Structures are given as C-alpha cells and as structure tokens.
Amino acid sequence: MMYWGYKFEQYMCADEPSGLPDPSGVVNTNEAFCTVVQTKLTDHSLLFSGEVDCRDDSSRFKAAPGYYVELKTSAEICTPKQRSNLHRYKLLKWWAQSFLPGVPRIIAGFRDNDGLVVSLETFETAKISQLIKHEQNCWKPNVCMNLCNAFLSFVKKVVTQDDYRVVYLFSWEPYKDVSYSVHKDSEYTFLHDWYVREMTKQGS
C-alpha cells in the first residue's frame, strides 16, 4: 500500500514536458526532485529544501514555484463523514507541506480498496482554508503558522553553538511543551568533516 502513491506519480508524470507518462517502470522510492526555497515568516528568514512532485507547463505561471504541483493519494470518499475526515486530517498535512514552499495546487487521486484510482480532485492550496471553515473544531491555518513562528523563535533562543558537530534535537508531544536535547559528535551528526573542509575552502 505504501507504494501506491509512488505508482500514482508514475502514471501522472512524464520525463519531458512533451512526453507521456511511462508507468511500466519499477518504482524507485529513492528518486526525488527538490527545490530550494527562500522566504520569510514574520521576522524569520527561512532557507529550506522541499520535495516537489512535478511541474505543470500549461500553468499560467511560467516560473517556480507557481507551476509546481503536489500529487497525493487517499482512500475513495463515499460518505460525508469521510469527506469531513479528509478536511480535518489529510488536508492539514497536505496544506502544511505545500503552503510554505509556495506550491499552489494539489492533485489528489482517490483510490478504491484495490488501490485503483477512481477519481481525481484538485485543491488550490490558498483556498483550503475556505474548504474547512465550516468544520467544527477543525484546524486553522493561522493557528498553525503562529505555532511555527513561536517554534522558530524558540529555536533562535536555544541554539547558541555554531558548531557543525553539535545537533539540537527537538521533540513535541500533544499538550506538552517543546523539549530539546544537545548532542555533540553523536549519531545525529550529519555533516562530515571532509564536507565542511571543502565548503570552507570554497568560501575562502
């Protein structure tokens, strides 16, 4: 089941703008296209990388991220309760993944119990907040962004050591404050000495 989403991407995407999808190949979960985004959230300057599924050359936007599209799969919706659950849970994750990188559209393939896509639906990221506004006790985009802003402010306060060998590990559980631990030369270190030397050499 975990490969169904990757297979959906094969059916939806071509290697070239004028090409056709080739779903006959073996799914490779290690392949990905990532975009680097520079943006701001209140007084926080952000530089991060996000995975992008595809681009739409027919879009009226002719530059990134306006022509990016996120592809998702979900179980077929047959009842109002299932639609409500989609709004309350799935759309939160889809919106959070697409909003900050600026991905404007999400195309969802709804599948049956055998994994066959039976319908498609397009969600505009900027309009998801309108879809959920009538759901009771539902998530709110402004609350999510306020939490993100508060967390980034907390990170700025906590992270005081400028050392690539030091990793700050943050964790959060519902109804509890964010906690963190500091690790030096540990299993969490991800920048190798050779990489830092080469990057320092190029910058000098």
Side-chain angles (χ1 to χ4, degrees):
M1 184 180 294
M2 64 178 295
Y3 290 99
W4 288 350
Y6 294 105
K7 198 64 181 180
F8 175 65
E9 293 175 8
Q10 273 193 343
Y11 273 91
M12 295 291 288
C13 301
D15 292 335
E16 301 293 335
S18 58
L20 295 174
D22 179 14
S24 63
V26 177
V27 171
N28 184 351
T29 59
N30 295 315
E31 286 185 343
F33 175 82
C34 293
T35 182
V36 177
V37 179
Q38 183 176 13
T39 187
K40 286 183 69 70
L41 177 60
T42 63
D43 60 339
H44 302 295
S45 296
L46 304 178
L47 180 67
F48 59 93
S49 174
E51 183 182 347
V52 176
D53 289 329
C54 60
R55 56 180 282 185
D56 178 9
D57 277 358
S58 66
S59 170
R60 62 188 178 89
F61 300 103
K62 301 306 177 186
Y67 53 38
Y68 287 153
V69 178
E70 180 67 25
L71 301 175
K72 294 294 186 183
T73 58
S74 187
E76 182 181 9
I77 295 175
C78 301
T79 67
K81 179 64 174 178
Q82 290 173 331
R83 171 64 64 174
S84 179
N85 286 339
L86 174 77
H87 287 175
R88 294 169 62 85
Y89 305 111
K90 281 286 182 74
L91 285 190
L92 168 59
K93 297 178 182 179
W94 296 357
W95 173 86
Q97 183 180 353
S98 299
F99 180 75
L100 272 181
V103 177
R105 283 194 301 150
I106 303 165
I107 297 178
F110 292 95
R111 50 176 170 72
D112 61 17
N113 292 332
D114 295 321
L116 298 177
V117 172
V118 295
S119 65
L120 296 174
E121 188 171 348
T122 298
F123 299 91
E124 293 187 40
T125 305
K127 295 182 179 180
I128 286 178
S129 59
Q130 298 298 312
L131 288 177
I132 64 168
K133 67 179 182 179
H134 298 301
E135 295 282 351
Q136 289 188 348
N137 301 318
C138 195
W139 62 278
K140 295 179 175 60
N142 63 312
V143 174
C144 296
M145 298 314 298
N146 288 339
L147 175 62
C148 183
N149 180 56
F151 173 68
L152 292 174
S153 297
F154 179 66
V155 170
K156 281 184 177 180
K157 181 180 178 181
V158 165
V159 178
T160 57
Q161 299 184 62
D162 186 9
D163 186 341
Y164 71 91
R165 297 173 300 170
V166 176
V167 172
Y168 291 79
L169 188 63
F170 294 86
S171 60
W172 175 79
E173 295 181 18
Y175 310 109
K176 294 183 179 180
D177 292 333
V178 174
S179 61
Y180 72 94
S181 54
V182 183
H183 307 265
K184 185 171 184 178
D185 295 325
S186 68
E187 60 181 312
Y188 301 112
T189 302
F190 58 91
L191 291 178
H192 295 282
D193 291 336
W194 64 265
Y195 178 84
V196 175
R197 284 196 303 269
E198 289 299 317
M199 292 298 102
T200 305
K201 186 190 305 180
Q202 291 181 19
S204 60

